[in-house]
Amino acid sequence: MQKKLKIVVTIAAFTFAAVMPSYSATLKDLQNGVVDFSEKMAKSLPFNSSLGLNWSDAYIGKLFPSVPPHFGIGGSFGFTTMDLPALETLAGQLGYGIPFTTDRLFFPAYNLEGRLGGFFLPFDIGVKFGMLPATGMWGTSAKMEYTMAGMDIRYAVLDGKGKLLLPSISLGAGFNYLKGGIKTSVGNSQILEFDGGKSITLGKPEINLLWDTFSLDFKVQVSKSILIITPYAGIGASYAWSNTGYEVDADVRYNNGSGSDDIGAGIDAVKGYLGREGLEGMEISGSGISTIIKDKRFGLRAFGGLSLNLMVFKIDITGLYNFLDKNYGGSAGFRFQL
């Protein structure tokens, strides 16, 4: 029988189990885990950053000359999904335990948004911004934070406002930026073994999973107002530059198999081992380790939904689908719009 998908919000996904005892993993598994995690996040992050500014009207109209002038302001909240196994694996290599079994997790996002009609020509410009400062999660030592920003400009190749049968169609271009992370403390030491008996020990590590992405975004959208609703649909394509990985702040010690020593005696051994095995490189010092992986790739998504138009107020419901990794998302927004 097919395993039932459990829906879990991101904050729950990162509320890890209570402090684990001293835990052993291998450098090889850790570096393979961060590569897999990076690849999954590089597909999911640009998709998540596209939340916001998905207004039902393909084109809101001109600011000038126009009576009334056309503009809007509001906000939205939404989510996109991500495959969990890569995160679960990396968390395990760093000493976490995730206290549930699921296939996907939800990444939330919210934005304040505004859109301004164009001058003389049929275009509009939108901006968005959302931020969650480092916030403790449900009484644990874990903290989550993110910042999202973006803008777009849309040009109406067909303006169907006031026309019985014609829709509005616009072409848009812009950028999206997303930066975030999860930080938590692990009370006991973490041992990373390598090269047949050697190891490094992380004393009471503070672990940070972190990511950021910047994407150029292009989209085409069609909409048509029918009485008090406006259905809409579109396709978006992006090219994104992403950085994903981990940072661990800890007292780092080296053991060559016969006893503990300062990490300075083992840095060459660690880097030599990673190089021979063809593994991702690691920054290492007496105060911590880190690996950040860069990724560049195209993305393709579909979006659509409808708005309920209540005089000068609009309520939007949007669904999204990521062709790159077959994940999905949704958002709801409320705005004042002329």
Side-chain angles (χ1 to χ4, degrees):
M1 184 176 69
Q2 182 178 4
K3 184 178 179 181
K4 182 179 179 182
L5 173 66
K6 297 180 181 178
I7 299 177
V8 184
V9 298
T10 303
I11 291 180
F14 287 101
T15 305
F16 300 110
V19 173
M20 300 175 65
S22 183
Y23 179 84
S24 294
T26 69
L27 276 181
K28 184 174 184 178
D29 288 343
L30 174 62
Q31 296 308 90
N32 284 333
V34 74
V35 169
D36 189 32
F37 175 65
S38 177
E39 290 176 351
K40 296 296 190 299
M41 290 292 281
K43 296 176 182 178
S44 297
L45 291 174
F47 184 50
N48 184 263
S49 74
S50 71
L51 288 169
L53 290 180
N54 292 308
W55 291 25
S56 57
D57 300 290
Y59 162 62
I60 68 170
K62 298 175 185 175
L63 182 70
F64 180 84
S66 177
V67 179
H70 294 292
F71 65 93
I73 187 169
S76 65
F77 174 84
F79 70 90
T80 59
T81 62
M82 173 190 165
D83 297 331
L84 181 62
L87 171 62
E88 192 173 30
T89 298
L90 180 60
Q93 300 305 325
L94 291 170
Y96 297 143
I98 297 179
F100 50 79
T101 301
T102 185
D103 295 318
R104 300 190 187 204
L105 60 85
F106 283 23
F107 271 96
Y110 76 91
N111 290 284
L112 298 177
E113 307 170 349
R115 193 172 288 280
L116 195 66
F119 293 81
F120 300 104
L121 296 176
F123 71 92
D124 61 35
I125 297 174
V127 295
K128 66 180 181 181
F129 180 78
M131 185 175 74
L132 178 70
T135 303
M137 299 185 293
W138 298 354
T140 71
S141 64
K143 293 185 178 182
M144 175 183 179
E145 62 181 327
Y146 83 85
T147 301
M148 177 184 286
M151 64 85 64
D152 68 14
I153 180 169
R154 305 183 303 178
Y155 187 88
V157 295
L158 181 62
D159 184 3
K161 290 182 179 294
K163 299 173 183 177
L164 183 61
L165 298 178
L166 290 179
S168 293
I169 301 175
S170 66
L171 301 177
F175 74 87
N176 295 307
Y177 173 74
L178 175 66
K179 180 179 181 179
I182 300 290
K183 180 178 287 188
T184 190
S185 298
V186 178
N188 292 313
S189 61
Q190 165 74 346
I191 300 171
L192 297 171
E193 300 172 343
F194 69 99
D195 206 13
K198 299 176 183 177
S199 66
I200 60 174
T201 300
L202 309 176
K204 296 183 178 180
E206 185 174 81
I207 298 166
N208 189 14
L209 302 181
L210 67 168
W211 53 81
D212 66 74
T213 189
F214 177 88
S215 62
L216 297 178
D217 196 58
F218 306 91
K219 56 189 174 183
V220 56
Q221 181 177 338
V222 58
S223 68
K224 181 62 183 177
S225 293
I226 305 170
L227 299 177
I228 64 168
I229 65 170
T230 303
Y232 58 101
I235 294 288
S238 64
Y239 188 78
W241 295 262
S242 301
N243 302 290
T244 312
Y246 66 82
E247 291 179 348
V248 178
D249 295 326
D251 179 23
V252 184
R253 302 285 294 176
Y254 170 65
N255 191 321
N256 65 5
S258 59
S260 179
D261 200 351
D262 184 86
I263 188 59
I267 291 179
D268 289 343
V270 170
K271 293 190 173 182
Y273 169 77
L274 295 176
R276 290 192 303 273
E277 294 293 321
L279 299 171
E280 193 68 34
M282 172 190 290
E283 294 297 319
I284 182 169
S285 70
S287 60
I289 63 172
S290 66
T291 300
I292 305 296
I293 298 177
K294 299 180 182 296
D295 191 289
K296 297 184 288 185
R297 68 179 64 220
F298 288 98
L300 184 66
R301 71 187 186 279
F303 62 93
L306 58 83
S307 68
L308 179 63
N309 309 320
L310 306 173
M311 303 295 288
V312 296
F313 297 101
K314 294 179 182 284
I315 301 172
D316 268 311
I317 301 295
T318 304
L320 305 96
Y321 181 76
N322 187 354
F323 292 104
L324 203 63
D325 60 4
K326 299 181 181 180
N327 276 297
Y328 54 87
S331 67
F334 178 79
R335 67 184 183 274
F336 169 84
Q337 180 182 324
L338 288 178

